[in-house]
Amino acid sequence: MSDRLEWAHTTSYGELLYPGVDIDGAIVEPGEIAVAVWTGSNGIALHGPKQQLRDRLLQLAAAVHEAPPVPWAEACIAESVDVANWKPGQTLDRALAPLPPAPALCGCGVRPVAPDPRLATCPECIDVFNSSSPRVSLGLCHPVPALS
């Protein structure tokens, strides 16, 4: 996996690319189709045989649909959380507002804290949490397996 992404907003222009299209030396091969999303002069493209591309896009759409609530504000994990014994409570059906500022697990001082560690947006807090042998690991990335 690379550590670089080209970011394209959902409002970005998109188009289907058919065999023979050549963009920057990348040619859509016969038997394949590509979905391109443009970010000005650059873009991203997902390509493959039509049915596989369709299946992948549906799989990604389902992953977005089934994803846990998306935090809408930056929040740390409270330093007071008992990491070794914490386990998820009820299923999160919506994002909750951060709690008032408190000492953060990451050591960055007093910061707004997430009402549930699963809603934290601070990578440092999540690293500290996960390095403390929790029952449940947290992550800011949730993989969507490749189609087989």
Side-chain angles (χ1 to χ4, degrees), residues 52-101:
Q52 286 180 359
L53 182 60
R54 176 193 169 278
D55 291 348
R56 183 62 170 164
L57 290 170
L58 288 173
Q59 179 194 35
L60 293 169
V64 170
H65 179 74
E66 296 166 6
V70 177
W72 50 270
E74 291 183 1
C76 284
I77 297 172
E79 185 178 69
S80 60
V81 168
D82 181 1
V83 176
N85 293 310
W86 181 85
K87 59 182 178 179
Q90 62 187 1
T91 301
L92 292 172
D93 58 355
R94 62 187 171 88
L96 304 169
L99 300 174

Side-chain angles (χ1 to χ4, degrees), residues 3-92:
D3 61 353
R4 292 183 45 99
L5 289 173
E6 184 70 38
W7 292 88
H9 193 271
T10 56
T11 58
S12 299
Y13 174 76
E15 63 185 345
L16 296 178
L17 306 176
Y18 284 84
V21 172
D22 179 347
I23 299 175
D24 286 340
I27 299 173
V28 179
E29 299 292 334
E32 292 192 349
I33 189 170
V35 174
V37 180
W38 297 101
T39 60
S41 61
N42 293 319
I44 59 171
L46 184 60
H47 70 95
K50 184 177 178 182
Q51 189 63 41
Q52 286 180 359
L53 182 60
R54 176 193 169 278
D55 291 348
R56 183 62 170 164
L57 290 170
L58 288 173
Q59 179 194 35
L60 293 169
V64 170
H65 179 74
E66 296 166 6
V70 177
W72 50 270
E74 291 183 1
C76 284
I77 297 172
E79 185 178 69
S80 60
V81 168
D82 181 1
V83 176
N85 293 310
W86 181 85
K87 59 182 178 179
Q90 62 187 1
T91 301
L92 292 172

